[in-house]
Amino acid sequence: MPNHWLWSPDGVCMAITSAHPQNMSRKAPGKVELTVSPLPELTESDMLWCQFGETTNIAELRDGTIICDPPTTIPHTPKGQDHVSVSLILTFGEEKMFFASATYPFYDCEEEDCPQFLNPNPQIIPMEFPTIVHFEGKNLENYQVNELIPSSHLTYMTLYNCSYGRSDCSLCLAADPGYDCVWCEEEGKPNKCIYKNLCKTSTNTCPHPVITRIEPKTGPLSGGILLTIMGSNLGIKAEDVKSITVAGTECLFKEDFYSVSIRYLIVCQAGNVSVPSQGKIEVDINGKRGSSTSEVQFTYQQPHPTGISPTEGPRAGGTILTITGNNLETGSQKDVRVLLGDVPCNITDFGEQIVCITGQHESGGKVQVTVDHGDTENQLNDPWFTYSENPTVTKFFPKNSFNITKINESTIVFSSPPILEDPENYRITTLIKMDGCSLVLNAENNDPFKYVADPTFENFTDGIKKQVNKLIHAKGSNLNKAMTIEEAQAFVGAEPCNIKTLTEKDLYCEPPEVQPQPKKRQKRDTINNLPEFIVKFGLREWILGRVEYDTRVSDVPLDVILPSVIFPMVAIIIISIYCYRRKSQQAEREYEKIKSQLEGLEESVRDRCKKEFTDLMIEMEDQTNDVSEAGIPVLDYKMYTDRVFFLPSKDGEKDVMITGKLDIPEARKQTVEQALNQFSNLLNSKSFLINFIHTLEKQREFSAREKVYFASLLTVALHGKLEYYTDIMRTLFLELMEQYVVAKNPKLMLRRSETVVERMLSNWMAICLYQYLKDNAGEPLYKLFKAIKHQVEKGPVDAVLMKAKYTLNDTGLLGDDVEYTQLTVNVYVQDGGTDSVPVKVLNCDTISQVKEKIIDQVYRNLPCSQWPKADSVVLVVFKPASNSHVLWDDFSIFVFLKVRDGATLILSKIGISQQPEDNQQDVPGERHALLEDENKVWHLVRPADEVDEGKSKRGSMKEKERTKAITEIYLTRLLSVKGTLQQFVDNFFHSVLNSNHVVPPAVKYFFDFLDEQAEKHELKDEDTIHIWKTNSLPLRFWVNILKNPHFIFDVHVHEVVDASLSVIAQTFMDACTRTEHKLSRDSPSNKLLYAKEISNYKKMVEDYYKGIRQMVQVSDQDMNTHLAEISRAHTDSLNTLVALHQLYQYTNKYYDEIINALEEDPAAQKMQLAFRLQQIAAALENKVTDL
């Protein structure tokens, strides 16, 4: 064991520099954490000793600190002191060599001389207002001014906030006078309850009362029920309630039930009316009247019971009685009483039907049913309820078992339940319970029901009953002791075996004529393919073995069998050998031929890839220089988030979150903004937001598209508090994870965005990875995009079919050999200077394609959003010796216009409104639009289904044959393009899947969260954790950015470029899965294209996840700091108010459901979240309220 740390090479001795806690009470000693400097080179396996006073224990080394247990005995505190110091010595090894020591204080606050602070004044302290507190001191003479003095006496004071739980005026004024709370009404500020010294203008009178809810909503015409009225500003004390009217009828106020503690409750007894009616509720509070809205109405109606079921039950009671009729759900359950004669019936269910349990009746007979709703009494004249005599047991059979299958006036059939083993050793009492009547199962001669031991059976010899003919014989014991021949059952396989005889030791049954199939069939086990013999007595069954039927046939002579079998077998073998040799030779010739063709094809592809890659690298060097001059056109944060969050929405670029325009009248703009700010405060209540999200997700109409949009709105609305947003996301994730783990399918989590929290994760990743995308992964992604675009535009692109000669997507491959020539034209921009710009185009391009290439080259140093549109410019062919003419954008093919290499073109923004025939010379070929045949338009390749072999068409026979060519012969072009782009694809994959480079803290933080939850739920399957991580980052964020470069760059993604990006994105997705896809000749070409590289990419993903797991953990504090920086840098640029307004639309749509959820949640009730939402709704919908 090395001891080199015992001396100090730097000449510094080891010492205990700090202890945590610094002291502790002798009444409650605990562990002490010690910091030693300089820290010895210790490991957790080294043995440390801690001598604390007279106690020596083994010390613990944890995270660079030494932890000591407290001493078992602590010396007495010296008189006149409040503490005692105990020696603390640290030693090492079995020999307990000393290396550091100190003293540790234990205080005793029960000593008379300890300092104390008593009788604080005031004892009630308001929040947000500085208050001086005076104490009476004791034993303070030994301390100096401004010295921290520990008090030995616990002193309690009350810290309160007037606003908490007092959201309206009446609740505020009803607070304890000692709190000095006032209702403050200051101009420009919302009215609220605060401490009196914080308010300049207070009031003693409250606004008019508001009624928000009543219970119940219906009552009988005769009244007499108690009505509970809830709302705000309903007075401070019971004397404030002057009058109450319900539907125009006076309601008698019940002072005993009045409450303003948590929510307002006024209870009154409804009066009587003569006819059914409906109306609002009105209250008079100290002369201020308030009435309910049209949604809160009370209805007087007449309940009318018409029938009961059943009409008879035992005198013992316990019968479940159902009462039917009209308007039975009048009042509430506590207002309704049911009597059977003079016996109450206990109500268990109250609704359109009333369900109650009958009570015990002494005499029996018919009784009238009475239903009371408040003061309304309804008697059923027909039918009456009959209390019949309690049932009795006179006889039962068999005496050792019973079965429940039917019931009538005199007979009940039961099935005996299972009991403990060895029933003869127990005294078992059997009861029959019918409604409220319990009967002991005894016959008239006091012969009780008995349980007997289960029967036993002997298994068949060797497990098989052979040569079965007419009967199957099974042996056992106690076979008929508790089971009759009618109750016993036997089966052969799945078919019944008819029992003929049952004695104490024997059972005989008649099997089916044909041998049945077994219940569980085994493919290669001939013995187990025999049917089982099963005996079933009551709830138990026995499998005694298997049954083999007698299927023997008459013997056939051996001299007949041998020739009939051997000769055909020999002939088959000879023919098989001949065919095999012939096929082998043919296959070998075919193999050599294909091998030669493949070698030639490989050489051709290799040369083409080398040439294409060289050309591309030269071109990309020019592109890189352009990028260095103009920079990568990364979108700003707002444009990036707008495109990621809202561009995929149904309104696209016209979405209100992108335009930022709200249709709000100017007169209400300030009020709406104030209400939206209050709504923002409400969203910052975790209880409200969780209830809000859960309520929306429970609605069937809340579609998957709406969930995605809602989550994006929520992300913008809470962007100013991304720490809180992350906390909400974690909470919802824990609930989601619990659902999938309980359902035992955790691998399905995060597969899609089916919940709000899954989309919240997508947005959270997009926010946290913006800077990383901008600083690190953006450049390789942009170069990959430019390389694909250059490679596609280098060859022909069919403007109608959107297929290209150079692509990675087999469905977008141009299936023909189109002859073309590259031209270089010199372009002048009108009013753009005297220098021309050389642009490479193809003679098979349409005018639109030429204009797009010219615009791309001329304006390459500007962002794409500042480029002119192709349809807003025209091209003019400049010919000094003759008249110039305009190339109109009518899909004319360049080759027909006889524009030659080195031609001069002018790009003009003037004359857009001119028509082609206005002062323009019609040149040969200019009117050639896309090739037309019988009104069918095509560009480079005419579809095969349009070829009519029976008619003479434009073009040669060679062209017609080429039209019908098989497109698969051009798949080698995919390989050529793939080889050319390989370096750019690899660079991008390395930039996002390399843990040795910079890893965004959000990725490490969330991956650790997934690992932690997997460990908590004891998920040992690494595939599950791998799927979670893949679905949360690569497939949720990187694939989206890879398929949509315009989300991060100011570029236009053409359809043919998008097709190649989709192939790379699919490869990226395949690399992130652990599933091995077996490839064959029938596999898609896109998967075959990267079959060689996919294993390397999979290893990159595995190493990336492993590297992140080994990184230093990102703490909650570090993550919150990072999120706060993002909020501070970008929140002001987002349309937060617009997001709040759009979020409120969901509140408005599901208003009732959200209010109900808040009122049912205890935490939301305590914070009065439903009332706050009602105030916000009133302001946004322009209703009069206290807001």
Side-chain angles (χ1 to χ4, degrees), residues 921-981:
Q921 181 179 355
D922 192 9
V923 299
E926 185 177 341
R927 314 316 282 158
H928 283 262
L930 292 176
L931 300 177
E932 295 181 8
D933 261 346
E934 295 181 355
N935 299 324
K936 294 183 179 180
V937 179
W938 51 285
H939 176 200
L940 299 177
V941 178
R942 200 168 100 200
D945 59 347
E946 295 183 13
V947 176
D948 188 350
E949 297 180 355
K951 296 183 180 180
S952 176
K953 300 287 183 176
R954 177 171 54 229
S956 65
M957 182 60 66
K958 180 180 179 180
E959 292 173 337
K960 295 179 183 178
E961 290 300 326
R962 188 170 65 238
T963 306
K964 297 185 292 182
I966 301 173
T967 57
E968 281 73 8
I969 65 175
Y970 301 106
L971 290 178
T972 53
R973 294 177 183 170
L974 303 179
L975 191 61
S976 172
V977 176
K978 177 246 184 180
T980 306
L981 299 175

Side-chain angles (χ1 to χ4, degrees), residues 1000-1002 1004-1005 1008 1111-1120:
K1004 170 63 177 173
Y1005 181 81
D1008 284 355
M1111 290 171 56
V1112 177
Q1113 187 175 8
V1114 177
S1115 65
D1116 291 338
Q1117 182 178 358
D1118 294 338
M1119 192 65 214
N1120 288 339

Side-chain angles (χ1 to χ4, degrees), residues 355-367:
V355 180
C356 63
I357 299 177
T358 62
Q360 184 176 356
H361 198 276
E362 295 296 333
S363 59
K366 289 189 175 183
V367 294

Side-chain angles (χ1 to χ4, degrees), residues 702-818:
F702 195 55
S703 63
R705 177 183 285 273
E706 285 185 303
K707 291 176 184 177
V708 170
Y709 192 71
F710 173 84
S712 297
L713 293 174
L714 195 61
T715 307
V716 176
L718 298 180
H719 194 282
K721 291 186 177 181
L722 285 176
E723 310 99 298
Y724 171 66
Y725 177 91
T726 305
D727 182 50
I728 294 295
M729 186 180 72
R730 280 175 61 100
T731 301
L732 294 174
F733 247 115
L734 292 176
E735 295 176 359
L736 182 68
M737 194 172 295
E738 190 71 26
Q739 294 175 12
Y740 279 100
V741 171
V742 170
K744 301 188 183 301
N745 52 2
K747 290 184 179 181
L748 300 181
M749 191 179 73
L750 295 173
R751 179 169 291 186
R752 301 181 181 87
S753 293
E754 296 178 342
T755 60
V756 171
V757 67
E758 288 172 296
R759 182 59 187 185
M760 288 176 68
L761 173 62
S762 301
N763 297 344
W764 188 78
M765 282 293 183
I767 287 172
C768 295
L769 269 65
Y770 170 74
Q771 197 62 38
Y772 177 80
L773 192 58
K774 184 178 180 181
D775 297 340
N776 297 277
E779 182 177 350
L781 176 59
Y782 184 71
K783 287 184 177 180
L784 173 61
F785 165 74
K786 293 292 287 185
I788 295 174
K789 185 173 184 294
H790 172 78
Q791 194 70 8
V792 168
E793 292 179 350
K794 190 174 66 173
V797 177
D798 194 300
V800 175
L801 301 178
M802 289 302 170
K803 294 187 176 184
K805 179 178 180 179
Y806 298 114
T807 181
L808 292 174
N809 196 316
D810 59 341
T811 59
L813 181 64
L814 190 63
D816 207 343
D817 279 329
V818 178

Side-chain angles (χ1 to χ4, degrees), residues 1048-1090:
I1048 184 64
F1049 304 124
D1050 191 352
V1051 295
H1052 170 68
V1053 183
H1054 198 276
E1055 188 175 334
V1056 289
V1057 176
D1058 180 72
S1060 294
L1061 286 171
S1062 297
V1063 174
I1064 299 175
Q1066 182 61 51
T1067 303
F1068 190 85
M1069 294 166 65
D1070 293 342
C1072 293
T1073 62
R1074 284 187 165 184
T1075 305
E1076 293 295 335
H1077 298 284
K1078 294 184 178 181
L1079 300 177
S1080 64
R1081 70 162 77 187
D1082 299 324
S1083 299
S1085 301
N1086 298 341
K1087 290 187 179 292
L1088 292 171
L1089 196 59
Y1090 283 92

